[in-house]
Amino acid sequence: MSEDTASTATILVVDDTPTNLEVLFDFLSNAGFKVLFAEDGESAIEKAHYADPDLILLDILMPGMDGFETCRRLKASQLTAAIPVIFLTALTDTPDKVKGFALGAVDFITKPLQYEEVLARVKTHLRLQSLAQQLQDQNARLEREVQERKQTEAALQQQNQRSQLLAGVSLKIRQSLQINDILQTSVTEVKALLQADRVLIYRLWSDGTGSGVAEAVQPGLPEVMGVVFPQEVFPPGSREQYRQGRIRRLANVNQDEQVADCLVDFLRQFWVQAKLVVPIITQGDLWGLLIAHQCSAPRHWTTAESELLQQLANQMAIALTQAQLLEQEVLQRRELARSNDELQQFAYVASHDLQEPLRMVTSYLQLLERRYKGQLDADADDFIHFAVDGALRMRTLINDLLTYSRVGTQGRAFELTNSTQAVDRAIANLKVAIDESGATITYGELPQVQADPTQLTQLFQNLIGNGIKFRSAASPRVVIEASQKEDVWLFSVQDNGIGIDPQYADQIFVIFQRLNNRITYPGTGIGLAVCKKIVERHGGKIWVQSKPNQGSTFYFTIPAGGTS
Amino acid sequence: MVKPILESLNPIEILLVEDNPGDIRLTQEVLNEGQIYNHLNVVEDGEKAIAFLTRTAPYSQAPNPQLVLLDLNLPRRSGLDVLKTIKTNETLKHIPVIVFTSSHAEEDIMSAYSLHANCYITKPIDLERFTKSIKSIEDFWLSMVELPSE
């Protein structure tokens, strides 16, 4: 306590001797204290109560209530207990001092009074008192802070717990890919989370009716699943409100006037006393409702609970939308795969089975030609010739079709394939055409790729073969190169042939598409279609860059994954 | 058609197992154009083939074939089934069986050889090569090699 505060301290002096009082009053007033006085115990207690002094100087020997009794009462009262009491006494007996301390006094001053001593003791006790007060204040503040922190912590923990639960449930919901799994997981988790008696997912159908599609219910309670609710239970107006995001909290179904009678009947049928309903909205449509029921008793739903339920309904909506998309995609993919398979099967069977009758036509026409040529007239010979020719062309077409469909049906598993070897094999297969045309085939360093070796050979063979077949006046040159571009190998097969008008750049890869006359350039138009199918089976792309009379460069890619 | 030089010689007995009349006739025609005195016995399904080979009614009087030309795609019992029966039968397994079929399928070729087919020939699609195939069969199996007699 600073000197300033000491000076403004209030001291109550209690003494039945007016002379003593007077002297103390003067002395302490001069020392800067505010001094009150009382001449007996009763009035001292009274003054102590209303003036709240900082210190009491109390005479022991007083008529009526003595100092000890006065002190006892002061200490007994909550308002005055903390005020330090110093006894003034002529007695020097130890038993009295012990009694005084036992009663709560802080000190004794022996009469006759030495005023310097009085001042020193008063100041000391005021300082002690002040320190004690400070300590107490500080303690109280600390305690308050601890309390506040504990509360914050508890709130935080609760919030944490709730968001952890929410995250856990959300994760479980979203990990379910099947719609039924999502629904069942949701109701089970929400029921545990809210400790509700029943959690129901109510699906709204387009005709206005609705039914439970998933339910978690306390054993012994009736199940809602399988019950179809008529349109009256859930009128369009109510539907619209939910679509706009309404949340419904009913603490006591029986006392709520807003609940339609028929709904009350329905709710009674399932023992519902309180309910909490949030909408499940997917892509702007009201998909259904997430409903929590309390059947054991009415229940006041907290805002936190309804928010939690809405958040879960939102998570469900996301999961449902994803599942719907996934389901559609799986269906589409399955359908596509099925129709692809069917088409391939069809092509294979058609071409395979067509061969039998065609063989008959060809063989007997040829037998006819062999046995009767020159024995009929010239027209007959011509007719037979055209028929044989047509049959032979059809045989080539069927064979090509078979080759084409086999790319998909008879392909082998991919293995690490040396593309240099594939090119070498292709060149070997083309030996006759290369020798006849005087073609030069060159290639740089070629990579290893994951491929069907037979098909890779066929791919190079068709592209190199085209470069030779569609040659210009110059002797054919074919250059094969490869380079890695990000995650694919880019191959190029460049020739110096007649080239292709860019407007036909896509058309040439379509089966049986031909750009040139069949006399100069025989063939069915299968080669590039097969190339395209092979490249696509390997997960790559094929295209051409060319101009008429300036040669063509065919490019194709093969994924570089898993290669060296 | 060249007539055999010696009528007294017994013809070579061939069993053709084939359900396509066109192929039956074609095989007959081409064999008749050839030089070898043969007798072509024809059955149209696998069941009859086995009855013929085992001389079961109505084939109790059937000759013992010295060569079998076997199609694979047959009604009732498949060609592979017939092949298996022949090659697991002590009294039949010495008979050379030439699989003569339109199937190019890798698994058919593999199965046929696994069941001890003596050779596998795919029916050529034009007459020229068909004739060549039959001639090759004639030259090799009916002329060059020694077959066990009946």
Side-chain angles (χ1 to χ4, degrees):
Chain A
M1 183 163 95
S2 71
E3 289 301 318
D4 286 355
T5 18
S7 321
T8 57
T10 305
I11 297 169
L12 174 63
V13 182
V14 189
D15 204 319
D16 60 324
T17 319
T19 331
N20 285 351
L21 277 179
E22 216 169 303
V23 174
L24 270 173
F25 182 87
D26 288 347
F27 175 74
L28 289 172
S29 293
N30 287 339
F33 295 106
K34 189 182 172 192
V35 185
L36 304 170
F37 55 87
E39 290 177 51
D40 55 57
E42 297 286 354
S43 60
I45 289 168
E46 198 180 315
K47 281 197 174 156
H49 271 95
Y50 74 73
D52 193 24
D54 296 298
L55 188 87
I56 298 171
L57 293 176
L58 181 58
D59 192 18
I60 291 176
L61 286 175
M62 289 188 294
M65 191 191 297
D66 69 357
F68 290 135
E69 179 58 19
T70 308
C71 182
R72 198 190 59 74
R73 291 207 194 171
L74 282 167
K75 294 296 168 193
S77 165
Q78 221 179 346
L79 287 171
T80 52
I83 305 168
V85 174
I86 299 175
F87 281 121
L88 305 173
T89 177
L91 304 171
T92 47
D93 291 356
T94 309
D96 277 348
K97 284 195 177 174
V98 171
K99 190 180 176 188
F101 282 121
L103 284 169
V106 292
D107 210 348
F108 281 83
I109 302 176
T110 313
K111 290 178 179 176
L113 297 172
Q114 300 290 321
Y115 293 108
E116 294 306 320
E117 187 197 347
V118 171
L119 193 61
R121 285 187 193 266
V122 163
K123 279 188 174 174
T124 300
H125 284 291
L126 280 174
R127 184 187 300 271
L128 277 176
Q129 169 69 359
S130 165
L131 285 175
Q133 190 60 47
Q134 273 180 20
L135 210 64
Q136 212 173 359
D137 288 352
Q138 211 163 11
N139 265 350
R141 200 168 58 243
L142 272 174
E143 210 165 306
R144 230 178 13 253
E145 276 174 19
V146 168
Q147 206 60 37
E148 275 169 19
R149 202 167 293 181
K150 268 186 185 166
Q151 279 173 357
T152 317
E153 221 162 78
L156 209 67
Q157 202 173 1
Q158 205 180 1
Q159 200 176 2
N160 234 357
Q161 204 172 7
R162 198 183 308 146
S163 52
Q164 248 173 23
L165 281 172
L166 182 66
V169 175
S170 301
L171 187 68
K172 275 192 198 169
I173 292 173
R174 267 191 301 193
Q175 273 174 344
S176 318
L177 290 177
Q178 302 282 321
I179 289 177
N180 285 343
D181 288 350
I182 295 171
L183 302 180
Q184 202 49 54
T185 309
S186 301
V187 290
T188 310
E189 296 294 328
V190 173
K191 180 176 172 291
L193 202 59
L194 289 182
Q195 293 177 308
D197 291 330
R198 179 189 293 114
V199 171
L200 175 71
I201 291 169
Y202 185 79
R203 178 79 164 96
L204 287 163
W205 307 108
S206 50
D207 63 354
T209 62
S211 51
V213 288
E215 181 180 27
V217 64
Q218 205 64 18
L221 291 175
E223 289 184 11
V224 182
M225 282 292 281
V227 179
V228 176
F229 293 85
Q231 204 175 354
E232 303 88 80
V233 176
F234 202 61
S238 172
R239 226 171 230 253
E240 182 53 28
Q241 283 180 324
Y242 277 120
R243 206 185 62 74
Q244 289 172 6
R246 175 171 87 152
I247 295 176
R248 203 126 193 239
R249 277 195 266 174
L250 285 186
N252 192 336
V253 169
N254 298 310
Q255 288 173 8
D256 200 299
E257 288 170 3
Q258 288 184 317
V259 182
D261 287 347
C262 61
L263 183 55
V264 172
D265 288 344
F266 264 106
L267 292 172
R268 276 212 192 111
Q269 194 184 328
F270 300 107
W271 307 8
V272 180
Q273 298 219 42
K275 67 172 189 169
L276 179 57
V277 185
V278 298
I280 303 167
I281 297 167
T282 57
Q283 295 166 316
D285 279 337
L286 185 60
W287 184 92
L289 301 171
L290 179 57
I291 304 171
H293 283 161
Q294 206 64 30
C295 302
S296 52
R299 174 168 175 175
H300 176 74
W301 307 96
T302 66
T303 310
E305 283 167 342
S306 67
E307 276 171 7
L308 186 69
L309 201 64
Q310 185 58 64
Q311 279 170 327
L312 286 169
N314 294 346
Q315 292 295 330
M316 279 180 58
I318 293 170
L320 284 170
T321 308
Q322 281 173 344
Q324 279 169 340
L325 288 176
L326 186 72
E327 219 156 82
Q328 275 171 11
E329 201 179 297
V330 166
L331 276 180
Q332 276 170 357
R333 208 176 289 175
R334 203 177 294 156
E335 176 55 26
L336 201 66
R338 195 198 57 74
S339 94
N340 255 350
D341 278 356
E342 206 172 61
L343 208 64
Q344 247 164 19
Q345 201 59 29
F346 173 79
Y348 184 76
V349 168
S351 49
H352 197 259
D353 290 358
L354 279 175
Q355 283 201 333
E356 276 300 310
L358 183 66
R359 203 163 50 76
M360 289 299 104
V361 173
T362 315
S363 299
Y364 279 97
L365 278 172
Q366 287 174 329
L367 193 59
L368 206 59
E369 195 177 35
R370 188 197 293 180
R371 296 244 177 114
Y372 300 100
K373 193 171 174 152
Q375 296 182 38
L376 307 168
D377 61 17
D379 278 349
D381 286 352
D382 274 354
F383 297 167
I384 291 173
H385 169 75
F386 284 128
V388 169
D389 189 52
L392 287 178
R393 229 176 28 242
M394 186 160 165
R395 180 195 69 180
T396 314
L397 282 172
I398 288 174
N399 273 343
D400 285 351
L401 195 61
L402 201 56
T403 308
Y404 182 74
S405 76
R406 274 180 181 156
V407 172
T409 55
Q410 315 273 298
R412 282 196 276 162
F414 295 166
E415 55 187 80
L416 196 59
T417 305
N418 185 336
S419 42
T420 306
Q421 283 177 8
V423 171
D424 283 340
R425 273 197 300 271
I427 291 172
N429 292 345
L430 290 165
K431 188 174 187 311
V432 175
I434 291 170
D435 288 350
E436 279 176 4
S437 63
T440 49
I441 319 290
T442 54
Y443 53 86
E445 199 177 321
L446 301 176
Q448 299 214 347
V449 290
Q450 282 293 333
D452 176 335
T454 312
Q455 292 190 344
L456 195 63
T457 301
Q458 191 173 10
L459 176 60
F460 281 118
Q461 189 173 325
N462 287 5
L463 293 176
I464 298 168
N466 275 355
I468 296 169
K469 181 163 142 190
F470 297 102
R471 61 178 175 266
S472 57
S475 59
R477 273 185 293 106
V478 179
V479 182
I480 302 146
E481 285 172 333
S483 59
Q484 190 160 11
K485 296 270 184 274
E486 287 164 20
D487 52 353
V488 296
W489 281 103
L490 176 67
F491 288 83
S492 64
V493 179
Q494 185 182 13
D495 66 48
N496 61 340
I498 57 172
I500 301 156
D501 191 323
Q503 64 171 310
Y504 301 118
D506 290 332
Q507 208 177 317
I508 55 170
F509 294 103
V510 177
I511 188 168
F512 299 148
Q513 283 286 334
R514 300 170 41 89
L515 297 181
N516 300 293
N517 75 72
R518 63 174 97 247
I519 310 266
T520 323
Y521 303 104
T524 53
I526 190 77
L528 289 175
V530 168
C531 288
K532 184 166 193 266
K533 212 169 175 198
I534 290 174
V535 171
E536 283 174 357
R537 182 173 171 244
H538 286 73
K541 285 181 185 160
I542 187 167
W543 67 97
V544 68
Q545 275 181 5
S546 180
K547 279 181 189 163
N549 306 317
Q550 291 182 24
S552 308
T553 307
F554 283 87
Y555 294 96
F556 67 88
T557 59
I558 304 245
T563 64
S564 59
Chain B
M1 182 175 146
V2 181
K3 287 283 163 203
I5 303 155
L6 294 168
E7 287 284 350
S8 61
L9 275 177
N10 290 330
I12 291 177
E13 293 291 343
I14 300 174
L15 175 63
L16 173 65
V17 190
E18 172 65 68
D19 68 320
N20 179 357
D23 273 324
I24 295 170
R25 180 67 191 270
L26 206 57
T27 308
Q28 276 172 342
E29 291 293 332
V30 175
L31 274 176
N32 286 343
E33 287 178 359
Q35 306 286 326
I36 309 297
Y37 179 37
N38 65 77
H39 180 241
L40 190 66
N41 305 273
V42 182
V43 290
E44 299 87 21
D45 64 53
E47 226 162 66
K48 284 180 182 163
I50 288 164
F52 187 99
L53 287 160
T54 55
R55 294 184 171 174
T56 313
Y59 301 103
S60 46
Q61 300 302 312
N64 275 332
Q66 286 160 282
L67 188 73
V68 177
L69 284 175
L70 179 66
D71 189 13
L72 289 187
N73 192 10
L74 293 170
R76 289 165 196 275
R77 292 179 73 170
S78 77
L80 287 176
D81 204 0
V82 174
L83 179 61
K84 192 176 175 183
T85 307
I86 295 172
K87 292 302 179 183
T88 52
N89 183 312
E90 282 304 314
T91 58
L92 300 176
K93 67 178 181 187
H94 65 276
I95 305 172
V97 178
I98 296 168
V99 175
F100 198 54
T101 175
S102 55
S103 166
H104 293 265
E106 193 71 35
E107 63 259 39
D108 280 344
I109 298 171
M110 199 57 214
S111 308
Y113 281 114
S114 300
L115 293 170
H116 306 292
N118 294 72
C119 72
Y120 188 108
I121 297 173
T122 313
K123 284 176 193 165
I125 202 150
D126 67 314
L127 186 68
E128 199 65 41
R129 292 188 201 167
F130 190 92
T131 308
K132 224 173 176 179
S133 295
I134 296 290
K135 280 240 178 329
S136 300
I137 292 171
E138 255 185 10
D139 287 348
F140 187 75
W141 289 102
L142 303 184
S143 166
M144 189 177 287
V145 304
E146 292 288 343
L147 294 176
S149 52
E150 285 177 63

